[in-house]
């Protein structure tokens, strides 16, 4: 299954899709609909923006103490 976001309204027997609605369709069918006129593909992950990165507090990872192995 793939997700598309509609750019135009679509209706048929028993359904109505409005612009902005996200619809799950089988992969090949979603690719056919996602022509940039009727719909676009929806990515699962949001692209990183500088504003989003600046709003997040910086995290530091605590590391375990280093163990030293000596061989003689």
């Amino acid at each position: 299954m793939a997700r598309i976001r509609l750019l135009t309204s679509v209706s048929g027997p028993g359904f109505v899709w409005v612009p902005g609605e996200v619809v799950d369709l089988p992969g090949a069918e979603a690719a056919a609909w996602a022509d940039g006129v009727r719909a676009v593909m929806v990515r699962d992950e949001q692209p990183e923006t500088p504003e989003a990165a600046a709003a997040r507090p910086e995290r530091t990872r605590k590391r375990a103490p280093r163990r030293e192995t000596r061989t003689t």
Side-chain angles (χ1 to χ4, degrees):
M1 290 297 241
R3 302 186 102 179
I4 60 170
R5 181 177 314 279
L6 296 191
L7 301 174
T8 62
S9 58
V10 181
S11 64
F15 76 96
V16 174
W17 295 337
V18 296
E21 186 172 352
V22 176
V23 180
D24 291 323
L25 293 173
E29 191 174 347
W33 276 89
D35 58 6
V37 176
R38 296 180 290 180
V40 292
M41 296 296 284
V42 174
R43 293 177 24 178
D44 289 334
E45 60 205 38
Q46 295 296 323
E48 182 74 22
T49 61
E51 295 83 17
R56 264 194 332 255
E58 186 175 324
R59 293 184 179 179
T60 57
R61 184 176 63 152
K62 293 184 180 181
R63 294 184 180 199
R66 208 173 195 188
R67 291 187 180 178
E68 200 172 300
T69 306
R70 295 186 183 189
T71 57
T72 55

